[in-house]
Amino acid sequence: LSILLLSLGLGTTLTFASSHWLLAWMGLEISTLAIIPLMSQHHHPRAVEATTKYFITQAAAAALILFASTTNAWITGQWDINFDLHFFPASMLTMALALKMGLAPVHFWLPEVLQGLDLTTGLILSTWQKLAPFILMCQIMPVNSSLITFLGVTSALVGGWGGLNQTQLRKILAYSSIAHLGWMILVMQFNQQLALLALIIYIPMTFSTFMIFKTNSSTTVNTLAASWAKTPALTAITPMILLSLGGLPPLSGFMPKWMILQELTKQDIPLTASIAALSALLSLYFYLRVSYAMTLTISPNNLNATTPWRLQTTASTLPLAISATISAMLLPLAPATL
């Protein structure tokens, strides 16, 4: 386990630190290969299926990155990431990195894969594994504006629509991840720092959500109703974190959305900004649904799930407490980040 986690860290760090396309590609490959045993460790057919799907999509994206960077080296004669890319390889790289991260319209693998994993691995997949392609995307950024806008708007809308009819919490989180990444991509072409800020705030919010579901050992919306008897304090805090993911003031999640909308209106694309803002409403609906199921419904007491009520939790709750505080109370720092 420690070797795999260290390799995971090494792969991402390698991609961060590289200024050569081959090295960046190698970092992405290392982190993909390191997470695969973690994904399939339960030997459940569903987990194995998810791992296979993940491996195939990531291998395709990595091959595309390699092809695009080779093409770029062939056209421009250099391998440096910080150097301007040729238009064609740049578009191909954008699509490959979108596939790596799970941006719509190449998002189809993400909900399926996340649904097959346990919550801890799912957490790594939706936070840590997004970092390397995200930073690469930032580095190639002022590129093919219409493609980027298309990716961002589609992701925001798909992330909103897709989560509406879901009962599985992991799929809801997958669609939430797609929507958040869409917001980040939209603003990335104008202001990379702002995209990074959105990512930095998205990570503790997602971490908190995953840890809450893990503490309640629930994977569907229905089993959340039993959480009131298990962890009353956590159940009271959860809606704040979920609404923070939805981007409501005065919670932390409002800060990146607010600044992104401000930046988009500054850049004189009000239509895109309006579509993004309306897509946030869709996401907000399903966060509200989860909050409602968790805090405002009393579960029937003849459930088969009464056993976990009697058990005291042994897991460490400190990380969850820290991330929950961050996801709820960071908004007053907005002027400082500006």
Side-chain angles (χ1 to χ4, degrees):
L1 184 66
S2 52
I3 287 177
L4 291 173
L5 288 175
L6 282 170
S7 309
L8 206 58
L10 170 77
T12 306
T13 319
L14 198 62
T15 308
F16 284 177
S18 61
S19 57
H20 190 289
W21 276 113
L22 272 181
L23 205 59
W25 168 80
M26 203 159 71
L28 290 168
E29 281 295 271
I30 290 173
S31 59
T32 303
L33 290 177
I35 202 174
I36 278 176
L38 294 174
M39 293 167 86
S40 59
Q41 63 186 341
H42 291 299
H43 297 300
H44 188 276
R46 191 71 190 77
V48 174
E49 179 195 351
T51 314
T52 314
K53 285 177 179 170
Y54 180 75
F55 176 71
I56 290 171
T57 48
Q58 296 297 309
L64 202 53
I65 289 172
L66 201 54
F67 178 55
S69 49
T70 313
T71 312
N72 184 59
W74 177 51
I75 296 172
T76 61
Q78 48 77 41
W79 284 94
D80 201 330
I81 291 181
N82 302 318
F83 201 80
D84 281 347
L85 290 159
H86 186 263
F87 180 79
F88 171 64
S91 307
M92 208 155 41
L93 264 167
T94 309
M95 284 314 288
L97 291 169
L99 179 58
K100 273 260 181 225
M101 285 192 283
L103 283 166
V106 282
H107 65 284
F108 294 99
W109 60 273
L110 185 59
E112 294 295 322
V113 167
L114 211 52
Q115 183 52 36
L117 305 179
D118 66 319
L119 290 165
T120 322
T121 321
L123 170 64
I124 296 176
L125 187 68
S126 28
T127 55
W128 185 254
Q129 289 295 86
K130 301 263 187 278
L131 290 175
F134 186 87
I135 297 289
L136 277 180
M137 198 77 121
C138 277
Q139 282 177 310
I140 63 170
M141 207 51 230
V143 64
N144 198 348
S145 171
S146 49
L147 173 66
I148 293 291
T149 310
F150 168 70
L151 281 174
V153 171
T154 321
S155 299
L157 286 170
V158 162
W161 283 123
L164 288 184
N165 214 9
Q166 296 293 341
T167 54
Q168 298 286 347
L169 293 175
R170 285 168 293 189
K171 279 195 175 169
I172 287 181
L173 282 169
Y175 282 110
S176 133
S177 168
I178 294 168
H180 276 272
L181 280 167
W183 278 81
M184 294 172 212
I185 288 295
L186 264 181
V187 77
M188 200 188 271
Q189 48 187 333
F190 308 118
N191 190 339
Q192 285 93 16
Q193 285 81 18
L194 209 48
L196 204 55
L197 171 77
L199 182 72
I200 288 167
I201 290 184
Y202 159 78
I203 286 175
M205 293 193 296
T206 308
F207 178 82
S208 315
T209 319
F210 268 102
M211 292 311 280
I212 287 163
F213 296 159
K214 192 174 183 309
T215 312
N216 289 322
S217 60
S218 51
T219 50
T220 58
V221 172
N222 295 340
T223 49
L224 274 180
S227 72
W228 182 246
K230 274 193 267 181
T231 48
L234 195 59
T235 311
I237 296 169
T238 307
M240 284 173 49
I241 293 165
L242 286 167
L243 294 179
S244 184
L245 267 169
L248 283 192
L251 304 161
S252 310
F254 176 59
M255 175 169 38
K257 281 200 165 52
W258 175 32
M259 292 183 178
I260 286 171
L261 285 177
Q262 186 189 5
E263 183 68 36
L264 291 179
T265 34
K266 261 188 210 162
Q267 299 291 342
D268 204 26
I269 36 175
L271 181 66
T272 310
S274 311
I275 295 173
L278 287 172
S279 75
L281 280 177
L282 294 167
S283 303
L284 186 61
Y285 173 75
F286 61 78
Y287 296 127
L288 271 172
R289 224 184 81 210
V290 175
S291 316
Y292 176 81
M294 192 158 178
T295 51
L296 297 176
T297 50
I298 296 175
S299 71
N301 286 331
N302 55 1
L303 274 184
N304 299 331
T306 46
T307 39
W309 292 10
R310 314 278 175 260
L311 302 176
Q312 274 296 311
T313 173
T314 52
S316 154
T317 46
L318 181 67
L320 175 54
I322 295 170
S323 67
T325 313
I326 291 175
S327 3
M329 301 182 184
L330 230 54
L331 189 66
L333 291 179
T337 54
L338 278 175

PDB file of all heavy atoms in Angstrom, residues 304-320:
ATOM      1  N   ASN A 304     -33.147  -3.141   7.552  1.00  0.00           N
ATOM      2  CA  ASN A 304     -32.091  -4.116   7.832  1.00  0.00           C
ATOM      3  C   ASN A 304     -30.837  -3.406   8.324  1.00  0.00           C
ATOM      4  O   ASN A 304     -29.915  -4.025   8.835  1.00  0.00           O
ATOM      5  CB  ASN A 304     -31.745  -4.905   6.575  1.00  0.00           C
ATOM      6  CG  ASN A 304     -32.952  -5.676   6.083  1.00  0.00           C
ATOM      7  OD1 ASN A 304     -33.790  -6.046   6.891  1.00  0.00           O
ATOM      8  ND2 ASN A 304     -33.039  -5.917   4.783  1.00  0.00           N
ATOM      9  N   ALA A 305     -30.791  -2.103   8.120  1.00  0.00           N
ATOM     10  CA  ALA A 305     -29.565  -1.363   8.422  1.00  0.00           C
ATOM     11  C   ALA A 305     -29.530  -0.858   9.853  1.00  0.00           C
ATOM     12  O   ALA A 305     -28.840   0.104  10.147  1.00  0.00           O
ATOM     13  CB  ALA A 305     -29.435  -0.187   7.461  1.00  0.00           C
ATOM     14  N   THR A 306     -30.313  -1.479  10.746  1.00  0.00           N
ATOM     15  CA  THR A 306     -30.301  -0.971  12.126  1.00  0.00           C
ATOM     16  C   THR A 306     -29.001  -1.323  12.849  1.00  0.00           C
ATOM     17  O   THR A 306     -28.652  -0.677  13.815  1.00  0.00           O
ATOM     18  CB  THR A 306     -31.470  -1.524  12.941  1.00  0.00           C
ATOM     19  OG1 THR A 306     -31.543  -2.920  12.705  1.00  0.00           O
ATOM     20  CG2 THR A 306     -32.766  -0.847  12.562  1.00  0.00           C
ATOM     21  N   THR A 307     -28.299  -2.367  12.371  1.00  0.00           N
ATOM     22  CA  THR A 307     -27.072  -2.757  13.089  1.00  0.00           C
ATOM     23  C   THR A 307     -26.026  -1.650  13.163  1.00  0.00           C
ATOM     24  O   THR A 307     -25.467  -1.447  14.237  1.00  0.00           O
ATOM     25  CB  THR A 307     -26.462  -4.030  12.493  1.00  0.00           C
ATOM     26  OG1 THR A 307     -26.590  -3.972  11.085  1.00  0.00           O
ATOM     27  CG2 THR A 307     -27.174  -5.256  13.035  1.00  0.00           C
ATOM     28  N   PRO A 308     -25.729  -0.920  12.061  1.00  0.00           N
ATOM     29  CA  PRO A 308     -24.668   0.092  12.205  1.00  0.00           C
ATOM     30  C   PRO A 308     -25.022   1.209  13.181  1.00  0.00           C
ATOM     31  O   PRO A 308     -24.153   1.949  13.600  1.00  0.00           O
ATOM     32  CB  PRO A 308     -24.484   0.633  10.786  1.00  0.00           C
ATOM     33  CG  PRO A 308     -25.682   0.242  10.053  1.00  0.00           C
ATOM     34  CD  PRO A 308     -26.178  -1.013  10.667  1.00  0.00           C
ATOM     35  N   TRP A 309     -26.283   1.343  13.554  1.00  0.00           N
ATOM     36  CA  TRP A 309     -26.640   2.387  14.516  1.00  0.00           C
ATOM     37  C   TRP A 309     -25.975   2.166  15.861  1.00  0.00           C
ATOM     38  O   TRP A 309     -25.609   3.094  16.550  1.00  0.00           O
ATOM     39  CB  TRP A 309     -28.139   2.388  14.765  1.00  0.00           C
ATOM     40  CG  TRP A 309     -28.954   2.804  13.626  1.00  0.00           C
ATOM     41  CD1 TRP A 309     -28.530   3.004  12.352  1.00  0.00           C
ATOM     42  CD2 TRP A 309     -30.352   3.082  13.649  1.00  0.00           C
ATOM     43  NE1 TRP A 309     -29.580   3.379  11.573  1.00  0.00           N
ATOM     44  CE2 TRP A 309     -30.708   3.436  12.332  1.00  0.00           C
ATOM     45  CE3 TRP A 309     -31.314   3.054  14.627  1.00  0.00           C
ATOM     46  CZ2 TRP A 309     -31.999   3.772  11.987  1.00  0.00           C
ATOM     47  CZ3 TRP A 309     -32.604   3.389  14.274  1.00  0.00           C
ATOM     48  CH2 TRP A 309     -32.950   3.743  12.974  1.00  0.00           C
ATOM     49  N   ARG A 310     -25.878   0.867  16.240  1.00  0.00           N
ATOM     50  CA  ARG A 310     -25.402   0.562  17.596  1.00  0.00           C
ATOM     51  C   ARG A 310     -23.884   0.666  17.702  1.00  0.00           C
ATOM     52  O   ARG A 310     -23.342   0.601  18.788  1.00  0.00           O
ATOM     53  CB  ARG A 310     -25.824  -0.864  17.985  1.00  0.00           C
ATOM     54  CG  ARG A 310     -27.270  -1.179  17.667  1.00  0.00           C
ATOM     55  CD  ARG A 310     -28.197  -0.649  18.760  1.00  0.00           C
ATOM     56  NE  ARG A 310     -29.595  -0.864  18.383  1.00  0.00           N
ATOM     57  CZ  ARG A 310     -30.351   0.084  17.881  1.00  0.00           C
ATOM     58  NH1 ARG A 310     -29.878   1.283  17.658  1.00  0.00           N
ATOM     59  NH2 ARG A 310     -31.613  -0.157  17.571  1.00  0.00           N
ATOM     60  N   LEU A 311     -23.211   0.763  16.570  1.00  0.00           N
ATOM     61  CA  LEU A 311     -21.754   0.669  16.606  1.00  0.00           C
ATOM     62  C   LEU A 311     -21.127   2.057  16.758  1.00  0.00           C
ATOM     63  O   LEU A 311     -21.478   2.983  16.042  1.00  0.00           O
ATOM     64  CB  LEU A 311     -21.226   0.027  15.317  1.00  0.00           C
ATOM     65  CG  LEU A 311     -21.788  -1.367  15.042  1.00  0.00           C
ATOM     66  CD1 LEU A 311     -21.281  -1.863  13.698  1.00  0.00           C
ATOM     67  CD2 LEU A 311     -21.367  -2.340  16.130  1.00  0.00           C
ATOM     68  N   GLN A 312     -20.185   2.174  17.673  1.00  0.00           N
ATOM     69  CA  GLN A 312     -19.421   3.408  17.786  1.00  0.00           C
ATOM     70  C   GLN A 312     -18.390   3.448  16.662  1.00  0.00           C
ATOM     71  O   GLN A 312     -17.784   2.429  16.331  1.00  0.00           O
ATOM     72  CB  GLN A 312     -18.693   3.467  19.137  1.00  0.00           C
ATOM     73  CG  GLN A 312     -19.539   4.042  20.262  1.00  0.00           C
ATOM     74  CD  GLN A 312     -19.894   5.505  20.003  1.00  0.00           C
ATOM     75  OE1 GLN A 312     -19.033   6.302  19.678  1.00  0.00           O
ATOM     76  NE2 GLN A 312     -21.168   5.852  20.148  1.00  0.00           N
ATOM     77  N   THR A 313     -18.150   4.635  16.102  1.00  0.00           N
ATOM     78  CA  THR A 313     -17.157   4.710  15.030  1.00  0.00           C
ATOM     79  C   THR A 313     -15.759   4.697  15.629  1.00  0.00           C
ATOM     80  O   THR A 313     -15.509   5.271  16.691  1.00  0.00           O
ATOM     81  CB  THR A 313     -17.366   5.977  14.180  1.00  0.00           C
ATOM     82  OG1 THR A 313     -16.287   6.078  13.271  1.00  0.00           O
ATOM     83  CG2 THR A 313     -17.407   7.220  15.045  1.00  0.00           C
ATOM     84  N   THR A 314     -14.843   3.998  14.937  1.00  0.00           N
ATOM     85  CA  THR A 314     -13.464   3.947  15.435  1.00  0.00           C
ATOM     86  C   THR A 314     -12.542   4.770  14.546  1.00  0.00           C
ATOM     87  O   THR A 314     -11.380   4.957  14.863  1.00  0.00           O
ATOM     88  CB  THR A 314     -12.958   2.496  15.438  1.00  0.00           C
ATOM     89  OG1 THR A 314     -13.177   1.956  14.137  1.00  0.00           O
ATOM     90  CG2 THR A 314     -13.698   1.669  16.464  1.00  0.00           C
ATOM     91  N   ALA A 315     -13.084   5.233  13.403  1.00  0.00           N
ATOM     92  CA  ALA A 315     -12.240   5.975  12.460  1.00  0.00           C
ATOM     93  C   ALA A 315     -11.847   7.331  13.040  1.00  0.00           C
ATOM     94  O   ALA A 315     -12.561   7.906  13.864  1.00  0.00           O
ATOM     95  CB  ALA A 315     -12.988   6.167  11.154  1.00  0.00           C
ATOM     96  N   SER A 316     -10.719   7.840  12.575  1.00  0.00           N
ATOM     97  CA  SER A 316     -10.292   9.168  13.016  1.00  0.00           C
ATOM     98  C   SER A 316     -11.125  10.235  12.312  1.00  0.00           C
ATOM     99  O   SER A 316     -11.248  10.222  11.088  1.00  0.00           O
ATOM    100  CB  SER A 316      -8.808   9.354  12.673  1.00  0.00           C
ATOM    101  OG  SER A 316      -8.532  10.709  12.526  1.00  0.00           O
ATOM    102  N   THR A 317     -11.700  11.131  13.096  1.00  0.00           N
ATOM    103  CA  THR A 317     -12.581  12.133  12.483  1.00  0.00           C
ATOM    104  C   THR A 317     -11.915  13.500  12.364  1.00  0.00           C
ATOM    105  O   THR A 317     -12.539  14.447  11.904  1.00  0.00           O
ATOM    106  CB  THR A 317     -13.872  12.289  13.309  1.00  0.00           C
ATOM    107  OG1 THR A 317     -13.507  12.374  14.683  1.00  0.00           O
ATOM    108  CG2 THR A 317     -14.786  11.111  13.092  1.00  0.00           C
ATOM    109  N   LEU A 318     -10.651  13.599  12.781  1.00  0.00           N
ATOM    110  CA  LEU A 318      -9.985  14.906  12.715  1.00  0.00           C
ATOM    111  C   LEU A 318      -9.870  15.447  11.286  1.00  0.00           C
ATOM    112  O   LEU A 318     -10.213  16.608  11.040  1.00  0.00           O
ATOM    113  CB  LEU A 318      -8.607  14.841  13.389  1.00  0.00           C
ATOM    114  CG  LEU A 318      -7.865  16.163  13.396  1.00  0.00           C
ATOM    115  CD1 LEU A 318      -8.585  17.181  14.286  1.00  0.00           C
ATOM    116  CD2 LEU A 318      -6.430  16.008  13.875  1.00  0.00           C
ATOM    117  N   PRO A 319      -9.401  14.625  10.312  1.00  0.00           N
ATOM    118  CA  PRO A 319      -9.312  15.168   8.936  1.00  0.00           C
ATOM    119  C   PRO A 319     -10.663  15.678   8.448  1.00  0.00           C
ATOM    120  O   PRO A 319     -10.751  16.748   7.830  1.00  0.00           O
ATOM    121  CB  PRO A 319      -8.861  13.959   8.104  1.00  0.00           C
ATOM    122  CG  PRO A 319      -8.273  13.010   9.059  1.00  0.00           C
ATOM    123  CD  PRO A 319      -8.923  13.238  10.391  1.00  0.00           C
ATOM    124  N   LEU A 320     -11.726  14.920   8.759  1.00  0.00           N
ATOM    125  CA  LEU A 320     -13.061  15.331   8.337  1.00  0.00           C
ATOM    126  C   LEU A 320     -13.453  16.654   8.987  1.00  0.00           C
ATOM    127  O   LEU A 320     -14.019  17.538   8.343  1.00  0.00           O
ATOM    128  CB  LEU A 320     -14.067  14.236   8.692  1.00  0.00           C
ATOM    129  CG  LEU A 320     -15.535  14.560   8.419  1.00  0.00           C
ATOM    130  CD1 LEU A 320     -15.729  14.993   6.986  1.00  0.00           C
ATOM    131  CD2 LEU A 320     -16.411  13.368   8.718  1.00  0.00           C
TER     132      LEU A 320
END
